Amino acid sequence: MIEVKDLVKSFEGREVLKGISMIFEEGKTNLIIGRSGSGKTVLLKNLIGLMRPTKGSILYDNRDLTKLSSYQMKALRQEMGMIFQGSALFDAMTVFENVYFPLDMFSSLSKSEKIKRATSCLDRVNLSDAGHLYPSEISGGMMKRAAIARAISLNPKYLFCDEPNSGLDPQTSLVIDELISDITKEYKITTIINTHDMNSVMNIGDKIFFIQEGNLEWEGTNKQILTTKNEALNDFVFASDLFKKVKAIEMDEINNK
């Protein structure tokens, strides 16, 4: 579990995050949504320690990230997995070598154990036949799956995903969503996803946090989001005709019960 308490981040006197408090639960997909410029990216960078908050605390199972020494911070980072928007695979390495890399850098396993673990992670994301290929030789969806395999190679307690469906077609996005959701529950990971993809919100949103101008405007589940009366959230989520129809259908079902 990750708990954020009264988080403030300012740049030259301008508050980008304005006293946000939230709890990201273990074994659940926690989605952060909001318009561009709302503070989502700044929040994520504070959560993983790339930025230091101006005020407030970030507790990783009661360990306050803002008070950790550099040695303690290094140890905490080894408990984190990260899936970047562009996958961020090393072009000069094969898919297998990309997954093996963090094991080689940070794990005390023997070489045979590292090979076994990397192979297991590739098998978990259905890429066991693609380990010999280079990133330039595989599709965007396969690259995302390889990035997931690399992110879970060290058995992380915390998984961060920055727009994991960016650039993918709807069908492939669904595969990636389900894979992240399944892995989260299977390994009881605390997963945090920054996303603009409303399909992800509806499909795997165990807990959703809506950020508006640096404030936590709303939080709830993907079921609750369909019945919310929060105007700002409705304007953001149901901007398209499709999601307006989804909400209308859901409301009709509720009213007819």
Side-chain angles (χ1 to χ4, degrees), residues 39-217:
K40 301 192 310 299
T41 300
V42 173
L43 174 59
L44 188 66
K45 287 182 177 180
N46 276 267
L47 290 175
I48 62 178
L50 291 180
M51 290 182 178
R52 292 192 66 83
T54 305
K55 295 178 184 177
S57 56
I58 303 170
L59 304 176
Y60 280 75
D61 295 310
N62 295 317
R63 295 169 292 175
D64 191 344
L65 177 146
T66 67
K67 297 179 180 178
L68 297 182
S69 66
S70 57
Y71 175 80
Q72 291 170 323
M73 189 65 217
K74 182 179 179 181
L76 177 60
R77 284 212 171 97
Q78 291 183 29
E79 299 178 18
M80 300 179 185
M82 187 78 195
I83 301 171
F84 298 94
Q85 183 172 342
S87 299
L89 300 178
F90 297 109
D91 293 336
M93 293 183 181
T94 64
V95 168
F96 178 85
E97 289 167 343
N98 267 279
V99 178
Y100 185 88
F101 179 77
L103 291 163
D104 199 35
M105 288 290 291
F106 303 113
S107 172
S108 59
L109 297 173
S110 67
K111 183 174 181 179
S112 62
E113 289 172 328
K114 291 174 186 176
I115 292 172
K116 183 178 179 180
R117 176 61 185 166
T119 301
S120 173
C121 290
L122 283 174
D123 183 58
R124 180 62 187 80
V125 300
N126 298 316
L127 282 180
S128 54
D129 294 332
H132 65 289
L133 300 175
Y134 288 88
S136 61
E137 299 175 312
I138 60 178
S139 67
M142 293 173 72
M143 289 176 68
K144 288 292 172 70
R145 283 190 279 147
I148 293 171
R150 183 177 63 183
I152 65 172
S153 64
L154 292 172
N155 287 311
K157 294 177 66 175
Y158 318 99
L159 179 63
F160 297 90
C161 311
D162 185 22
E163 297 286 355
N165 290 336
S166 177
L168 301 180
D169 63 79
Q171 186 174 0
T172 304
S173 294
L174 182 61
V175 170
I176 297 301
D177 279 345
E178 291 178 349
L179 183 57
I180 292 173
S181 180
D182 289 347
I183 286 171
T184 295
K185 291 173 174 57
E186 182 179 337
Y187 298 111
K188 295 183 179 178
I189 300 171
T190 302
T191 296
I192 300 174
I193 304 171
N194 253 9
T195 186
H196 284 99
D197 190 340
M198 290 303 105
N199 288 314
S200 297
V201 170
M202 297 305 177
N203 289 332
I204 63 168
D206 294 326
K207 193 67 179 289
I208 300 156
F209 300 89
F210 175 52
I211 307 296
Q212 174 92 336
E213 296 180 354
N215 294 296
L216 178 58
E217 179 75 18

